[in-house]
Amino acid sequence: MLADHEVIRRHIDEGRADEAIRLANSSLCLFPEDPILHYLKGQAYMKKGDWQHATNCFLQSENYDPQGPAAQTRQMISDIMAFYNKDMFNQ
């Protein structure tokens, strides 16, 4: 399984988010409770700028590993999404 994690990480690092998501989905069919796969899938969605799917993946990861990296990353996304100045949109 570690090899799958590394391959998915490499795809994310090299900007191939769609391939990373495809591989994560394939691996999740075999290991649906693997928190790292859910986390990596969330990382790939973040790379694409798809914050909703990323957050959902991080929540899934947290369900299986509440102390894992997904909790901090999900909180970071929530903070980013909550921090914007609506007044700036009209300038």
Side-chain angles (χ1 to χ4, degrees):
M1 178 50 60
L2 183 59
D4 290 344
H5 293 167
E6 291 306 315
V7 170
I8 294 168
R9 255 190 203 98
R10 191 169 352 116
H11 283 300
I12 294 167
D13 292 343
E14 294 173 359
R16 294 190 305 267
D18 289 328
E19 182 63 14
I21 293 167
R22 187 189 68 73
L23 288 173
N25 284 334
S26 294
S27 294
L28 283 166
C29 288
L30 299 172
F31 305 99
E33 296 181 4
D34 183 335
I36 300 299
L37 287 173
H38 289 284
Y39 174 74
L40 291 171
K41 186 176 171 184
Q43 289 285 316
Y45 276 117
M46 272 183 56
K47 192 76 146 182
K48 291 177 59 133
D50 187 338
W51 303 106
Q52 183 62 48
H53 279 104
T55 300
N56 290 341
C57 292
F58 295 140
L59 285 169
Q60 279 292 103
S61 180
E62 279 183 81
N63 285 335
Y64 300 116
D65 183 10
Q67 304 305 316
Q72 183 178 6
T73 305
R74 186 187 53 75
Q75 184 59 50
M76 178 191 69
I77 290 174
S78 294
D79 292 345
I80 290 169
M81 299 308 282
F83 182 79
Y84 66 92
N85 185 347
K86 293 179 184 178
D87 294 335
M88 295 299 291
F89 291 126
N90 293 325
Q91 293 186 6

